[in-house]
Amino acid sequence: MTSHSQAGSPQGCGANLFLGVKPSLELQALRDNVEGVDRDTFRRFLEGEVPWGSVGYWCRCRCRCRCRCRCRCRCPCPYTPSLFTVIVRGMEDGDCTDLLRSLLEVGVVTKERVSWILSGVYFVVHTALRHPALTPQVFKEELCELGLPEDLIADILTAVFGQRRKAMIAARNRKQQPLPRLSDCCWRVDVAISTSCLARALQPSVMMNISLSDGTERRFEVSVNKFQELRYNVALLLKQMGDLENKKILKIEN
Amino acid sequence: MGFITETPRIKEAVGIANGVDEGKFPRILSRILQKLHLKDERPFSVEEEQKLQIALDLDSSHLSLLLETLAFLFEQAVFHGPKMPALEQQLLDLGLASPQIAAFLQAWVGGGRTATEALRRRALAPHSLQSVGWTLGLGLAQSCQARQQIPTAMLEMGIRSNDSQSMEKLLMEFNHKELYELYNKSLL
């Protein structure tokens, strides 16, 4: 088995995504389990299909959904989802339990084998999406070196570089935000004309209502001094961020 | 017509004040003025009040009346903001003796402006912003994304609750675009 070298890779993106001193457990299991499945059964996994003997099958509630597992009536889906439907749904939404259950209930191949194939393909897709500069050609070469069947390689390439790529990357980035982000900031300026302490106060203040992406909401008052301090700090932070982005080291292409 | 209405309790307190030693009076006044803006704190601690009782030869109820009335006079002066002649006239009308009036006016000149500003800034809102801190970082990689160069800012706002004096730290993360939107829409 030939091995890629990092210097030889034309894109310089760090080939050897999967090959190394020792391939990971998921890849070994994927290779072993795919070899043990015959071609027809494997096509069913990749494409998904209506169950045997159920031509013209309608949903139990007669809703005529046949909508590829997005059934509004929530009856068990008559379709066997494809392997990649499960993977893409899992990466985008995080929850693919219903699809996974349908896939595991096909019954022609053992659940354990299906699980190993699914986890192996998920690992390959996840690792490929992790490298932003990966090209289809380099990726295909890597997968051929792994010894995977060509139809599986073609479907993996479609999943990684197809139409759902942006949605999967956006969903993955959303999950990876450890700190909450500001979703809304409402403010109001009040001027206290008179208070119980002073007949003529004329003291301005800012009332702020902040909502964060994790649902936290806080309402608090900001005095004029503190508002100026907040404004100064945010402006300084913006300037520092701009200077950082302009630094030469960031302009080196991958 | 003064801005303070004389009541029996004020009259009694003025009588006590006129009997206080002139040397100790200015320090009592300046301490009351310093602590005027603090809501739940008394100007003197329990031990200090006990020492004052001995030094001024007053029992605890007379001392409390004296301190509360002096604080009340200062609060009214802050509220109405009278000029010095008007304030002096008001104190004369209440029956305060000349040395005590001079000490009061001296303390007012020294600490009146500070106390007024502190009371002006006192907020009624339950929470207020106390501190702002930030960190600027460069995200180089994540478990799900290799080789990225994303500047990330973390802003920490310290929000203090006026009731419990506890400080809550609110942490937020921003990228460049989000930070610019915050500055443009809310802070400019």
Side-chain angles (χ1 to χ4, degrees):
Chain A
M1 186 184 285
T2 58
S3 61
H4 293 285
S5 67
Q6 292 210 5
S9 167
Q11 282 73 22
C13 70
N16 293 347
L17 287 180
F18 310 115
L19 298 175
V21 175
K22 189 179 169 191
S24 73
L25 181 65
E26 290 95 343
L27 289 176
Q28 287 176 13
L30 173 65
R31 260 197 310 231
D32 299 339
N33 284 282
V34 162
E35 279 168 13
V37 180
D38 67 271
R39 294 295 92 208
D40 289 337
T41 311
F42 198 63
R43 282 317 310 164
R44 284 168 62 189
F45 276 130
L46 291 186
E47 293 169 0
E49 63 163 28
V50 177
W52 290 117
S54 56
V55 174
Y57 177 87
W58 297 108
C59 181
R60 255 183 272 164
C61 73
R62 316 295 288 179
C63 75
R64 301 190 174 200
C65 57
R66 300 200 90 168
C67 52
R68 283 279 171 185
C69 313
R70 290 185 184 270
C71 185
R72 289 180 297 276
C73 68
R74 296 185 181 273
C75 290
C77 180
Y79 284 98
T80 305
S82 73
L83 188 75
F84 288 95
T85 308
V86 178
I87 288 173
V88 168
R89 175 84 82 82
M91 293 199 84
E92 284 181 9
D93 298 344
D95 180 24
C96 55
T97 323
D98 52 344
L99 294 180
L100 192 59
R101 202 176 293 129
S102 303
L103 185 67
L104 289 173
E105 278 168 6
V106 169
V108 181
V109 175
T110 59
K111 287 185 183 175
E112 192 186 344
R113 196 184 280 273
V114 171
S115 303
W116 279 116
I117 294 174
L118 189 65
S119 65
V121 175
Y122 184 89
F123 173 78
V124 169
V125 170
H126 178 79
T127 309
L129 284 176
R130 205 175 161 265
H131 290 260
L134 185 67
T135 59
Q137 293 80 15
V138 172
F139 189 38
K140 191 172 177 183
E141 284 171 20
E142 295 256 8
L143 293 178
C144 292
E145 292 247 352
L146 276 175
L148 297 178
E150 281 186 16
D151 43 8
L152 179 58
I153 290 178
D155 283 338
I156 291 176
L157 280 171
T158 313
V160 170
F161 294 102
Q163 294 168 350
R164 311 291 282 273
R165 182 185 169 88
K166 278 190 181 168
M168 285 197 288
I169 289 174
R172 181 203 63 195
N173 288 344
R174 267 199 305 274
K175 276 190 258 178
Q176 282 285 320
Q177 287 164 2
L179 286 178
R181 300 185 108 87
L182 185 72
S183 63
D184 193 23
C185 174
C186 304
W187 55 267
R188 188 180 86 185
V189 176
D190 293 326
V191 178
I193 299 171
S194 183
T195 66
S196 55
C197 304
L198 258 79
R200 270 174 61 87
L202 298 174
Q203 180 72 9
S205 68
V206 178
M207 189 68 82
M208 264 188 166
N209 194 353
I210 279 186
S211 306
L212 302 184
S213 57
D214 63 354
T216 314
E217 274 198 31
R218 290 288 179 268
R219 188 177 301 135
F220 51 91
E221 189 185 6
V222 185
S223 65
V224 175
N225 292 344
K226 285 297 164 192
F227 180 77
Q228 299 293 1
E229 188 181 327
L230 175 66
R231 191 162 166 262
Y232 169 76
N233 278 294
V234 172
L236 181 62
L237 189 48
L238 265 172
K239 175 159 188 319
Q240 298 273 5
M241 205 182 251
D243 289 345
L244 182 65
E245 284 172 347
N246 286 336
K247 279 192 189 310
K248 278 192 185 166
I249 196 166
L250 293 184
K251 293 206 162 108
I252 297 172
E253 295 292 329
N254 280 331
Chain B
M1 187 80 168
F3 52 86
I4 302 175
T5 312
E6 194 184 24
T7 62
R9 278 179 64 83
I10 290 181
K11 201 169 174 179
E12 188 186 347
V14 164
I16 297 169
N18 287 340
V20 166
D21 180 9
E22 286 162 27
K24 298 187 178 72
F25 205 59
R27 279 171 30 201
I28 297 173
L29 286 171
S30 63
R31 172 68 81 91
I32 291 171
L33 200 52
Q34 271 169 28
K35 302 272 186 174
L36 197 68
H37 64 283
L38 297 169
K39 260 192 286 195
D40 299 321
E41 219 174 293
R42 293 173 70 83
F44 294 97
S45 66
V46 174
E47 293 83 18
E48 286 170 333
E49 280 191 11
Q50 285 171 354
K51 287 181 191 164
L52 270 178
Q53 282 177 36
I54 299 167
L56 303 177
D57 193 24
L58 294 171
D59 62 15
S60 67
S61 62
H62 284 157
L63 181 68
S64 295
L65 179 64
L66 174 69
L67 297 178
E68 281 166 16
T69 308
L70 289 173
F72 174 74
L73 293 178
F74 277 126
E75 281 168 7
Q76 291 300 302
V78 165
F79 185 84
H80 293 281
K83 302 251 185 332
M84 290 297 272
L87 182 59
E88 190 179 355
Q89 186 59 48
Q90 174 67 77
L91 295 172
L92 270 171
D93 292 343
L94 288 174
L96 211 55
S98 301
Q100 276 73 10
I101 291 177
F104 194 98
L105 293 177
Q106 182 96 12
W108 179 249
V109 164
R113 188 183 290 272
T114 315
T116 306
E117 283 306 313
L119 281 169
R120 190 196 300 275
R121 272 189 242 112
R122 196 159 81 180
L124 278 179
H127 304 284
S128 58
L129 181 70
Q130 284 303 313
S131 63
V132 177
W134 55 267
T135 306
L136 177 64
L138 185 67
L140 294 177
Q142 295 180 55
S143 54
C144 62
Q145 177 81 35
R147 296 177 180 243
Q148 62 183 14
Q149 290 167 344
I150 303 178
T152 308
M154 272 190 285
L155 195 68
E156 182 194 78
M157 291 194 193
I159 297 172
R160 194 172 70 183
S161 166
N162 286 343
D163 297 335
S164 61
Q165 297 292 318
S166 60
M167 184 90 98
E168 183 194 359
K169 302 274 186 181
L170 208 60
L171 271 174
M172 289 163 262
E173 200 176 356
F174 294 91
N175 57 21
H176 197 157
K177 184 172 163 240
E178 288 162 350
L179 196 64
Y180 189 67
E181 273 177 19
L182 170 69
Y183 185 76
N184 246 359
K185 287 185 185 165
S186 305
L187 301 180
L188 202 58

